[in-house]
Amino acid sequence: MYLRIAATAILSVGVVFAAQCLGQEAAKPLVTSPVYTKPQQLVDMDHGRRMNIYCLGSGSPTVILDAGMGDSTISWALVQPALAARTKVCSYDRAGLGFSDGSSRPSAAANIAEDLHALLKAAHVAPPYVLVGHSAAGMYIRVYADRYPDEVVGMVSVEGSHEDQWVRGWAIGAPGQQAKWDAFLKEYGSCVDEARRGLVPGTPAYKKCVGDPDPRFSPAINAAQARYAATVRWQSAAASERQSVAYASADQARATRRHYGDMPIIVLTHSPYPKAKDETQEERNQRTLLWESLHLDVAAMSTRGVNEIVPNSGHYIQYEHPQIVIDAIDQALSIAREDMRKTQ
């Protein structure tokens, strides 16, 4: 489905490599739970605007799972149930995505962090939190931790984006990489108008803006996603997030860059990709080194930061190697709990 295009475009480091980011497709659906065909808990945020949150388990710290660009709670379907045996775990849909109502504000990192803070308070999900972010949410959780430092005791970044990946990535290869990104934004920005006119299955506009069923998910889940991906509120939120991620969201993440002391920060990184058709091997090597160095920068924001390259993985490590993600979160939880015991 189109949701994959929205989420995977972020890994481009200057160019959209959607096919590379998907990793291996599942032979049969990985996710079949009916949980992801409907909202789980719609929480009233302000004046009737509701956001969907899905919590399992009990215990502290609470793990908060934030999905990649355009994605929803389903990103964590193979991770959340296992973690719920250890502590309370909540995933959620950002404004306009999944089953959450839209917002009048841009889908930029600062607004996303503020929304999450308000959602957790309204849903009575108390801190402390271990924040887990995939892709774009790697920046969002850092902005949250900077704004609300007393609430966060650990972070896990799963293929997390970095505020410098676009500017530095655009400098690799032939000139015009930023122009390609901006053209991508313009092309898919038209999907908002297409949704207003009505996205009809079988039309070119539907193919572009909604896309094909995702083989990782059951037919029922794909049908639910197709319904909301065709709405104005979803297309508007996805467009706003794409338009913000390399510009406003990157600037906001950059402005909050700081050292997080000895807070556990665990960063998971995909294994190197083969070169694309439109790049040389040298360009691919440069992009690989850039991605890894940016992740090392995030890990270095703590004296207990770790960056792990996951073999045979693409952008969605949580689907391809869920146990590695579970283990990383468990590690952050263990460190955070030990620190909490020392201060009691």
Side-chain angles (χ1 to χ4, degrees):
M1 282 194 62
Y2 174 70
L3 285 77
R4 298 191 299 171
I5 299 174
T8 58
I10 199 166
L11 188 62
S12 62
V13 199
V15 183
V16 179
F17 295 136
Q20 291 181 344
C21 302
L22 293 176
Q24 295 179 347
E25 298 287 10
K28 58 184 178 180
L30 291 173
V31 185
T32 59
S33 172
V35 162
Y36 302 105
T37 64
K38 57 186 181 297
Q40 292 307 297
Q41 181 185 358
L42 290 173
V43 177
D44 190 353
M45 297 283 290
D46 51 68
H47 307 295
R49 182 169 74 94
R50 304 168 304 168
M51 291 184 70
N52 181 45
I53 188 168
Y54 176 43
C55 295
L56 295 173
S58 61
S60 182
T62 298
V63 174
I64 306 298
L65 303 168
D66 203 350
M69 188 168 65
D71 279 339
S72 66
T73 57
I74 197 171
S75 283
W76 307 107
L78 304 183
V79 171
Q80 185 170 2
L83 288 170
R86 300 154 171 79
T87 195
K88 185 169 186 174
V89 191
C90 299
S91 54
Y92 80 107
D93 296 333
R94 289 189 297 276
L97 302 178
F99 298 102
S100 289
D101 293 340
S103 172
S104 60
R105 305 191 301 174
S107 297
N111 290 337
I112 288 168
E114 189 176 293
D115 255 4
L116 177 57
H117 184 257
L119 171 62
L120 295 174
K121 184 176 181 179
H124 307 291
V125 179
Y129 309 125
V130 170
L131 302 179
V132 183
H134 173 241
S135 197
M139 293 194 300
Y140 304 158
I141 63 173
R142 283 176 43 213
V143 172
Y144 189 106
D146 188 85
R147 288 197 163 204
Y148 311 104
D150 294 339
E151 298 183 359
V152 183
V153 293
M155 289 189 286
V156 178
S157 179
V158 182
E159 270 286 281
S161 298
H162 187 284
E163 57 272 20
D164 292 341
Q165 73 182 67
W166 291 275
V167 172
R168 292 178 62 182
W170 288 333
I172 296 173
Q177 302 301 322
Q178 183 174 1
K180 289 183 181 180
W181 176 262
D182 291 339
F184 168 81
L185 295 180
K186 183 177 180 180
E187 179 184 1
Y188 284 96
S190 67
C191 289
V192 178
D193 290 334
E194 296 287 0
R196 290 194 181 100
R197 288 190 286 268
L199 286 163
V200 179
T203 64
Y206 188 93
K207 176 75 172 178
K208 181 180 80 169
C209 300
V210 178
D212 298 319
D214 190 323
R216 295 173 299 196
F217 309 146
S218 70
I221 292 171
N222 273 311
Q225 290 192 323
R227 284 192 295 272
Y228 64 62
T231 64
V232 174
R233 60 100 178 165
W234 191 93
Q235 292 292 342
S236 296
S240 181
E241 196 165 2
R242 286 192 304 270
Q243 290 159 2
S244 298
V245 70
Y247 296 114
S249 289
D251 289 343
Q252 289 160 8
R254 192 175 294 111
T256 62
R257 195 182 285 172
R258 70 183 181 94
H259 200 275
Y260 291 91
D262 61 355
M263 176 195 294
I265 299 177
I266 301 173
V267 184
L268 300 180
T269 304
H270 69 71
S271 55
Y273 290 144
K275 77 177 187 68
K277 293 180 180 179
D278 61 349
E279 66 180 348
T280 66
Q281 187 59 54
E282 176 59 27
E283 289 168 352
R284 170 46 44 193
N285 293 343
Q286 290 181 47
R287 291 187 172 109
T288 296
L289 290 173
L290 172 60
W291 192 244
E292 293 174 1
S293 68
L294 293 174
H295 280 192
L296 285 170
D297 287 346
V298 174
M301 293 178 183
S302 168
T303 57
R304 288 191 290 191
V306 176
N307 178 215
E308 177 183 351
I309 296 176
V310 182
N312 303 312
S313 64
H315 192 45
Y316 281 85
I317 300 174
Q318 67 269 39
Y319 288 138
E320 298 164 12
H321 301 287
Q323 191 59 51
I324 291 176
V325 178
I326 293 165
D327 291 344
I329 298 170
D330 272 340
Q331 184 180 358
L333 276 171
S334 296
I335 296 171
R337 283 173 172 160
E338 181 61 29
D339 289 346
M340 291 164 62
R341 282 193 290 269
K342 290 176 181 178
T343 59
Q344 288 176 348

